[in-house]
Amino acid sequence: MAQFEKLSAPSQGTAIRFVNGQPVIPNEPIIPFIRGDGTGVDIWPATQRVLDAAVTKAYQGVRRIEWFKVYAGDEACDLYGTYQYLPEDTLEAIRTYGVAIKGPLTTPIGGGIRSLNVALRQIFDLYSCVRPCRYYKGTPSPHKRPQDLDVIVYRENTEDIYMGVEWEADDPVGQTLREHLNTVVIPANGKLGKRQIPEGSGIGIKPVSKHGSQRHIRKAIQHALRLKGDKRHVTLVHKGNIMKFTEGAFRDWGYELATSEFRDVCITERESWILGNLENDPQLSIQANARMIEPGYDNLTPERKASIDAEVHGVLDAIGTSHGNGQWKAMVLVDDRIADSIFQQIQTRPQEYSILATLNLNGDYISDAAAAMVGGLGMAPGANIGENAAIFEATHGTAPKHAGLDRINPGSVILSGVMMLEFLGWQEAADLITKGLSAAIANQQVTYDLARLMDPPVEPVSCSGFSEAVISHF
Ligand SMILES: NC(=O)C1=CN([C@@H]2O[C@H](COP(=O)(O)OP(=O)(O)OC[C@H]3O[C@@H](n4cnc5c(N)ncnc54)[C@H](OP(=O)(O)O)[C@@H]3O)[C@@H](O)[C@H]2O)C=CC1
Ligand SMILES: O=C(O)CCC(=O)C(=O)O
Ligand SMILES: [Mg+2]
């Protein structure tokens, strides 16, 4: 039986294989691409032109991408029939070729199909969504010092409320579930008092697993280990004060991982305070150190004081020799911040942050917010990475009002292509594009979104014009 129902794979090129989570890259990899809905019609051709030009210039024909057009969203329904938004051919192509790139896909609000973007992440278990937000000189920004922001949002990509386990308010199964919760589960808890889920409530489930959290945070720490200086820093972002057993557990599992599997190369924020205090004053007593790391120490109960003292003692015992005397300063710092607070912290103290490891929903919000600080959604690339596949895509959506007008900024998908080239190890081609894109922006050859923010505003270039400008600066 033929492998594909309606597609023909390129006759040349080879599949990328994954061995122990690492891609093995041939010189002519076959890479499936999804054009995308809405502005995908503008962005994708502009991106493909830039990627091909960079690879040709960098490798003079020795390396080449064999593109394989596959279908999802509206385009798929046109070819495969009504409601065939994500055909098996597309899944089979990504399964076979391992690395893919895509434009945005539409998701209706409320009813209708569930997100195809999220479905792809779940089907291929692409558990980490990596979204770097950095500043390109000359980009207009609402922020006074956008150059201070250089963060990578590491968003857990398969769990949380994005699993889609939810029921409409009038769904009979949802109503039965609500009744069961109200009459059996909530009363059995003991701590929930007379709380009841109101009639007419929709219900959504937020699963967050230890395995899912730790495999994702592991990737974030491994990434931090590849960075230098202050950027060796992972912040666990959570709303654990409110959602204790999901968001709070994410934080706890993150610290557990950092202080077990990565013990030799990680230091937590509290540990760094304890060791730093002692380095500043080698005569410091355990209790004086405890007082310095715990605000309000003197007002604590004796039991609580004893537990903070024990924490200081434990840290000095366990890692005083291996991490003390300033050795911890070269290690990956792991701290945590409550999600609402991190939204203001990345604006007020952006230089203090590097990798933000988040759950799915928080990462979705933070990646758009951080992108806004460095020029907006036109400058926001991303990658969805798992053990056996990777799909590269921008942070933004289909921006339907701009579709087909050749005006939207293709920067985010172009930069997602840069991430893909880096993933392939094709750094020379990636660097050419970064150089070309930086020069185009510095030269004020920008699309409408950036042009209107410049002071004074400049005449915008088109979407295709921007890609030509990028190539002209290689
Ligand atoms: N991964 C994916 O495929 C994603 C898909 N979506 C889907 O996309 C659809 C539209 O979502 P919506 O909420 O409008 O969000 P979008 O991200 O599509 O667009 C919102 C606004 O952001 C700006 N913007 C987006 N992309 C760019 C770009 N490339 N260059 C410059 N500006 C840009 C535009 O602002 P302005 O008009 O002010 O210039 C645009 O109107 C929905 O169906 C949603 O579910 C959403 C996010 C991700
Ligand atoms: O899939 C969608 O429609 C939205 C997804 C999204 O906002 C994101 O991945 O950032
Ligand atoms: Mg989003």
Side-chain angles (χ1 to χ4, degrees), residues 41-179:
V41 299
D42 308 291
I43 288 173
W44 175 253
T47 298
Q48 191 177 349
R49 205 172 312 136
V50 171
L51 294 177
D52 282 340
V55 171
T56 302
K57 173 141 187 168
Y59 306 117
Q60 306 290 323
V62 174
R63 285 175 170 170
R64 194 161 53 91
I65 296 174
E66 281 292 340
W67 296 109
F68 183 11
K69 181 171 171 63
V70 299
Y71 295 77
D74 294 341
E75 234 194 344
C77 296
D78 292 344
L79 183 64
Y80 289 84
T82 319
Y83 298 124
Q84 299 299 310
Y85 287 97
L86 197 51
E88 178 53 31
D89 271 1
T90 299
L91 303 181
E92 175 62 14
I94 298 173
R95 209 175 286 129
T96 305
Y97 297 108
V99 171
I101 184 165
K102 66 179 277 293
L105 294 167
T106 306
T107 315
I109 298 167
I113 56 160
R114 288 202 173 270
S115 166
L116 305 169
N117 310 300
V118 172
L120 283 166
R121 299 166 196 166
Q122 287 171 343
I123 289 166
F124 293 103
D125 202 19
L126 308 173
Y127 57 84
S128 286
C129 175
V130 184
R131 293 182 163 174
C133 295
R134 58 158 283 207
Y135 181 69
Y136 290 88
K137 198 162 174 235
T139 312
S141 160
H143 206 267
K144 270 193 193 151
R145 292 187 52 82
Q147 64 273 30
D148 288 350
L149 186 82
D150 182 8
V151 298
I152 306 170
V153 177
Y154 251 82
R155 165 190 180 190
E156 200 290 321
N157 221 13
T158 57
E159 300 190 344
D160 199 348
I161 51 175
Y162 285 64
M163 271 200 168
V165 184
E166 56 176 1
W167 293 266
E168 270 180 294
D170 58 3
D171 180 330
V173 176
Q175 285 174 353
T176 308
L177 175 63
R178 183 178 62 80
E179 208 166 296

Side-chain angles (χ1 to χ4, degrees), residues 385-423:
I385 313 275
E387 294 300 314
N388 299 306
I391 301 181
F392 295 79
E393 68 175 329
T395 294
H396 62 68
T398 57
K401 70 181 176 194
H402 304 287
L405 301 176
D406 191 22
R407 70 192 301 260
I408 200 79
N409 187 349
S412 305
V413 183
I414 292 175
L415 288 169
S416 305
V418 169
M419 291 178 76
M420 184 181 81
L421 293 172
E422 288 175 341
F423 187 79

Side-chain angles (χ1 to χ4, degrees), residues 294-307:
E294 190 68 19
Y297 176 89
D298 289 322
N299 298 325
L300 296 176
T301 60
E303 294 76 27
R304 188 80 189 108
K305 276 184 187 160
S307 100

